[in-house]
Amino acid sequence: MSISARQFVSQGQQRLLEVQSMLSGLGNTFEKHGQTLVELQNIYNQTLDELVQINLPNLSQEAFSQVRQYTGYGQFDVKNPFITMNEEHTRLTQLISDIDLDERYLRQDELVNPISGELILKADSIRQNFNLLRDSLQRYESEPRFLHLIQSAYDTPDYTGRMWQLDYYRDWRTGSSISKKFGKHFYEIRSDYLPLKQAHDHTYNELAEAEKEINDVKNLVNLRGQSLYRLNNLPQVILQESQAALRQHLQYVDKEQLFSWAQGDHAREALIKKLDGVEKKLNYLKEMVAYQQQQEQTALQEYIYKLNKKVVKFQRPKYYHYTVSSRDAAILYIDPKEKLFHKRNKFWKSYDVVFDFDDYDYYDYQKDMLWWDLMTDGEIDGNYINEVNHFYSNHPGYSYRHDYYYETHSYHHHHHDNDLTDFS
């Protein structure tokens, strides 16, 4: 229905505020996604750990000898973990022995006891002196441009300032102000300051050296403790470090190649498919949310642009007594919340389909398959997802078939439209 221009402007401005608020709060509407990513990442990490465990379950020659054939990881052939363990045992034993003979370690309590340690007391004494000197220096250095006057040799024969230079007058005003405050000529203030500065810097270096001595003792004690723990748990530590190296390899190696290395071992194959599928799921969901957010943002921005354009138009004085036609006023009665609610519900249903998928074992590396179609049973349009778009572009004759993926009778399916930009 038609309304007056004044009413249109008033209602339009109110609607603009509401939609701007919706636009600002878009990020908060996807909090569920953040929780989902954490959950999926935990599943991914757990699956990766299980795959590591099945390929390197213990510290044995047999376990290491099978790693390369099942995973393609050959670093254990280059650097044998058992040789590494023997070398580490020798190194750690010697290191602990050397530390046990170090006078600093033997006298650690005498040196760094928090209450009575010789080095602690020495550092405290130096620190007290340093703090006094620092406070005394601050009395001078807190004066504006004081350090500049010192560095430029103001009030000495070496001062290069000349009366026709602007800086000369600034220096003169500052120097006079400081001299008045301290009741001395500036050259006398300089004579008081420089020895103080020299003593401060010397004491600073003394304190740094004293603190280094303390840290050296503490680091020595810590090094012995860490070395002893590593020595006493060397087999377990070497296994953990080997598993960590294998884990990184399994995380980034091509999953199809990894599957072929599994050589028909079902337990390994199942874990590889799950790892690959969960990684794809993580990527898909991230792209789905990014696309949905962009769609919603674009839709709201377009609505704001169209409405604001009309509000600005009907604010002009010449429209003061104008009646806005029902056609122009119709934009006031389009509720973006309602449209977004419908579109977002549709999105979350698609999102949940991908998230809830867990039939990873159906994926077949021998077939030309797409994880997206397996997860959605071909029912959700994913052309906006990079991998899906790339797959379709390189398979112009491709058409999803349920029986090809699941080896059962196919059924009718259709794609869903996810466009959000149709505000009028």
Side-chain angles (χ1 to χ4, degrees):
M1 64 179 183
S2 59
I3 61 174
S4 70
R6 281 175 292 172
Q7 285 179 304
F8 181 89
V9 169
S10 176
Q11 293 179 28
Q13 289 173 336
Q14 182 60 38
R15 178 54 60 86
L16 284 171
L17 289 174
E18 292 173 3
V19 180
Q20 285 284 8
S21 179
M22 288 174 60
L23 187 60
S24 300
L26 270 185
N28 298 330
T29 63
F30 292 89
E31 288 180 359
K32 167 184 171 180
H33 173 61
Q35 298 166 356
T36 298
L37 291 186
V38 171
E39 184 177 343
L40 277 179
Q41 191 61 54
N42 288 337
I43 294 172
Y44 177 86
N45 291 336
Q46 181 181 349
T47 305
L48 185 57
D49 289 339
E50 290 175 10
L51 190 57
V52 170
Q53 189 64 32
I54 202 172
N55 281 292
L56 188 56
N58 53 58
L59 191 71
S60 67
Q61 200 66 255
E62 179 185 5
F64 280 103
S65 66
Q66 293 180 346
V67 167
R68 184 165 194 162
Q69 69 179 93
Y70 281 115
T71 70
Y73 186 68
Q75 286 303 305
F76 298 139
D77 296 338
V78 177
K79 190 174 183 181
N80 187 293
F82 294 97
I83 295 176
T84 299
M85 185 165 62
N86 291 334
E87 292 173 347
E88 273 284 273
H89 189 280
T90 301
R91 184 186 71 82
L92 291 170
T93 301
Q94 184 60 53
L95 178 60
I96 293 169
S97 176
D98 291 343
I99 293 175
D100 285 343
L101 296 175
D102 194 306
E103 182 183 1
R104 293 171 299 172
Y105 177 75
L106 294 172
R107 297 183 59 223
Q108 59 180 280
D109 190 59
E110 297 175 44
L111 295 174
V112 296
N113 182 287
I115 305 299
S116 60
E118 178 184 314
L119 295 179
I120 298 293
L121 295 176
K122 174 185 173 184
D124 285 345
S125 176
I126 297 173
R127 189 175 294 105
Q128 289 177 9
N129 190 28
F130 172 76
N131 289 339
L132 290 172
L133 290 167
R134 183 191 59 198
D135 292 343
S136 298
L137 270 191
Q138 186 63 22
R139 178 169 171 256
Y140 294 95
E141 294 180 353
S142 61
E143 294 296 324
R145 289 176 59 85
F146 175 82
L147 290 177
H148 166 75
L149 295 182
I150 293 294
Q151 291 161 3
S152 62
Y154 176 76
D155 206 19
T156 74
D158 296 325
Y159 179 63
T160 58
R162 295 295 179 262
M163 292 182 63
W164 57 83
Q165 296 173 330
L166 179 61
D167 271 355
Y168 174 85
Y169 290 98
R170 294 178 64 191
D171 291 348
W172 177 80
R173 284 196 300 270
T174 302
S176 296
S177 175
I178 293 174
S179 294
K180 184 177 180 181
K181 182 173 181 178
F182 284 84
K184 296 181 179 181
H185 294 293
F186 194 86
Y187 70 85
E188 293 176 304
I189 296 172
R190 173 191 295 275
S191 298
D192 294 339
Y193 169 78
L194 290 178
L196 197 60
K197 172 65 173 170
Q198 186 176 17
H200 169 274
D201 293 349
H202 176 73
T203 308
Y204 174 84
N205 292 332
E206 277 190 320
L207 181 58
E209 182 59 33
E211 289 177 339
K212 181 180 181 303
E213 287 182 298
I214 292 171
N215 289 330
D216 285 348
V217 176
K218 291 181 177 179
N219 290 339
L220 197 64
V221 174
N222 290 336
L223 178 59
R224 188 188 186 282
Q226 294 166 1
S227 300
L228 184 61
Y229 175 85
R230 186 175 176 88
L231 181 62
N232 290 338
N233 298 276
L234 198 51
Q236 180 184 353
V237 170
I238 293 296
L239 176 60
Q240 289 173 345
E241 291 177 351
S242 300
Q243 288 174 331
L246 178 59
R247 189 182 196 277
Q248 187 173 23
H249 167 75
L250 293 174
Q251 185 173 358
Y252 297 108
V253 70
D254 181 78
K255 299 305 181 291
E256 183 176 350
Q257 179 62 66
L258 186 60
F259 185 85
S260 69
W261 283 325
Q263 303 171 40
D265 183 286
H266 181 68
R268 285 181 168 85
E269 289 181 344
L271 286 171
I272 293 166
K273 287 182 179 181
K274 184 176 180 181
L275 185 69
D276 195 11
V278 172
E279 184 175 12
K280 295 293 184 184
K281 188 185 291 188
L282 277 163
N283 292 334
Y284 290 156
L285 293 179
K286 289 175 184 176
E287 288 195 59
M288 288 175 75
V289 167
Y291 179 76
Q292 180 68 15
Q293 285 182 314
Q294 182 59 50
Q295 290 287 93
E296 293 191 12
Q297 183 179 7
T298 299
L300 292 175
Q301 287 173 337
E302 287 186 3
Y303 179 83
I304 289 171
Y305 173 77
K306 291 177 181 178
L307 178 55
N308 187 62
K309 188 176 179 181
K310 291 187 177 183
V311 168
V312 170
K313 173 184 175 181
F314 293 120
Q315 275 181 320
R316 295 171 187 163
K318 70 177 184 178
Y319 291 104
Y320 188 76
H321 298 291
Y322 186 82
T323 298
V324 179
S325 69
S326 56
R327 180 179 177 181
D328 281 333
I331 193 170
L332 289 177
Y333 309 112
I334 298 172
D335 187 356
K337 291 181 183 177
E338 187 177 316
K339 187 174 288 289
L340 289 188
F341 181 79
H342 172 71
K343 296 291 186 181
R344 195 178 290 157
N345 274 352
K346 199 173 182 179
F347 163 76
W348 284 121
K349 287 178 182 177
S350 300
Y351 184 96
D352 289 340
V353 166
V354 176
F355 174 70
D356 292 337
F357 172 84
D358 62 0
D359 292 331
Y360 302 105
D361 213 35
Y362 276 101
Y363 193 82
D364 189 345
Y365 287 101
Q366 302 303 313
K367 294 181 178 180
D368 201 5
M369 295 179 70
L370 181 63
W371 274 104
W372 174 264
D373 279 344
L374 178 63
M375 292 180 181
T376 64
D377 205 20
E379 289 198 322
I380 301 174
D381 178 18
N383 277 306
Y384 59 89
I385 291 175
N386 289 330
E387 183 190 67
V388 177
N389 184 270
H390 183 266
F391 182 88
Y392 290 157
S393 298
N394 286 278
H395 298 76
Y398 169 80
S399 177
Y400 173 78
R401 299 199 322 273
H402 177 86
D403 55 344
Y404 179 75
Y405 279 74
Y406 286 94
E407 298 180 356
T408 59
H409 295 295
S410 62
Y411 62 96
H412 177 72
H413 64 275
H414 62 279
H415 293 289
H416 294 295
D417 178 23
N418 201 32
D419 182 40
L420 279 167
T421 60
D422 55 345
F423 286 122
S424 58

